Amino acid sequence: MKNNYIVLLTVILAGYWINLSGQTAPRQGEILITEIMVNPEAVSDANGEWFEIWNATNHDVLLNGLTLKDAGSNQHVITSTDQLVMPAKSYWVLAKNGDILTNGGVVVNYIYQNFTLSNTSDQVIITAADETLIDQVSYGSGWPVVSGASMELHPDYQSFSGNDQPEHWFPARIAFGAGDKGSPGKANPLSSGLEEWEQGIRLDIFPNPSQGRFILEATFSKPQSGEIRMINLLGQDFIYKTFSERAVLREVIEPDFLTPGIWFIEVVSGGQTKATRLVIDR
Ligand SMILES: [Ca+2]
Ligand SMILES: [Ca+2]
Ligand SMILES: [Ca+2]
């Protein structure tokens, strides 16, 4: 009987040890950048910049010793007296300022220094202690950098190279904390019920890029009320039209009022949003 207890105790301790030692540093693509607040509006950039990472693995990873940097001189080594264990499939927020009262209302997992996010073009690069690239995002012209809203990676593209493409990112639409838009520490909202949305709203815009007029067609699985919103990278954000009880919307839009560049056209209806990217080129 006593031997059984010793065996049991050994098994428990071994399991505990394996669990501890299983908290390893991430490898390439195991941590992914999923959201970036480049240009907060509710608070200053010095107080309100942050970015979100996702542990794509099914195991915990240890963040101590990783480096955050850009292609220039910004560099920060993640250091802590605590073990920064990021649970499997969790989202963490790394920020300049950890004070929820002054950072725009973000709950922060780690505070960094010497790392800023330019409002035009910049990089978020995460490397391991041996300089292996874990993930990077390099944003600039053509990316949805909007004042007062984070850039959210579409959940279909949560991969090492999937987050490299500007068309996989969208300006956040749902407010948090002090009023800026984003989903810090949470799955980007397109992920919740994505399939349902895909089935619920179908949105086509053509031609795209457009030099003159374009046609927007939206179809719904049942008659819906809602609105068409237009958002661009300069912070313009307006409701183009509201509609009620329509199963099909077909709009011929003469875009004289749309400045050339990239626009996000959204159909918002019944708590669902379908967004697509339109390039006005003339
Ligand atoms: Ca900034
Ligand atoms: Ca990447
Ligand atoms: Ca998020």
Side-chain angles (χ1 to χ4, degrees), residues 47 59 110 176 199 211 258 261 264 269 275 277:
N47 280 318
H59 56 83
Y110 181 77
F176 69 91
Q199 288 163 9
Q211 292 170 335
L258 297 179
F264 295 89
S269 174
R277 180 187 163 94

Side-chain angles (χ1 to χ4, degrees), residues 37-280:
M37 177 57 93
V38 164
N39 188 6
E41 194 173 286
V43 294
S44 68
D45 285 46
N47 280 318
E49 289 180 357
W50 49 266
F51 66 95
E52 177 189 84
I53 55 176
W54 181 58
N55 177 355
T57 74
N58 289 315
H59 56 83
D60 298 350
V61 293
L62 197 60
L63 301 191
N64 302 60
L66 299 185
T67 296
L68 314 176
K69 60 183 182 180
D70 64 8
S73 59
N74 281 188
Q75 183 156 327
H76 173 84
V77 178
I78 295 180
T79 44
S80 171
T81 49
D82 300 323
Q83 293 222 315
L84 300 169
V85 177
M86 186 180 178
K89 301 290 179 193
S90 65
Y91 291 86
W92 271 26
V93 175
L94 287 68
K96 260 187 174 174
N97 173 5
D99 181 357
I100 196 167
L101 297 177
T102 58
N103 72 3
V106 188
V107 177
V108 173
N109 299 93
Y110 181 77
I111 301 162
Y112 53 70
Q113 296 87 35
N114 191 37
F115 185 80
T116 57
L117 296 162
S118 156
N119 295 347
T120 51
S121 66
D122 210 343
Q123 306 80 35
V124 180
I125 302 170
I126 304 174
T127 59
D130 66 2
E131 299 192 359
T132 306
L133 178 63
I134 306 297
D135 189 23
Q136 67 176 347
V137 170
S138 177
Y139 63 86
S141 168
W143 287 68
V145 176
V146 174
S147 174
S150 68
M151 297 191 284
E152 287 176 334
L153 176 66
H154 190 293
D156 280 358
Y157 301 101
Q158 289 194 165
S159 69
F160 177 69
S161 58
N163 63 7
D164 296 348
Q165 307 293 326
E167 55 276 13
H168 297 163
W169 292 79
F170 290 87
R173 294 179 306 271
I174 297 169
F176 69 91
D180 280 347
K181 293 169 187 166
S183 58
K186 299 191 179 83
N188 296 344
L190 284 170
S191 64
S192 55
L194 178 68
E195 284 173 18
E196 200 180 310
W197 292 355
E198 296 287 1
Q199 288 163 9
I201 306 177
R202 187 187 147 83
L203 175 61
D204 282 321
I205 285 182
F206 50 91
N208 186 7
S210 167
Q211 292 170 335
R213 67 164 59 173
F214 64 91
I215 295 167
L216 176 153
E217 263 184 14
T219 51
F220 306 97
S221 49
K222 59 177 193 217
Q224 294 280 6
S225 301
E227 63 193 35
I228 300 170
R229 295 186 75 89
M230 300 190 171
I231 300 160
N232 77 357
L233 302 181
L234 304 173
Q236 291 173 289
D237 179 348
F238 60 89
I239 296 169
Y240 170 71
K241 181 176 185 134
T242 58
F243 56 90
S244 98
E245 294 304 307
R246 301 277 296 272
V248 178
L249 270 181
R250 186 180 166 93
E251 297 285 326
V252 178
I253 299 175
E254 300 280 355
D256 294 345
F257 56 94
L258 297 179
T259 49
I262 292 165
W263 286 83
F264 295 89
I265 313 294
E266 296 182 348
V267 174
V268 184
S269 174
Q272 303 173 1
T273 300
K274 181 83 181 169
T276 196
R277 180 187 163 94
L278 169 68
V279 177
I280 301 285

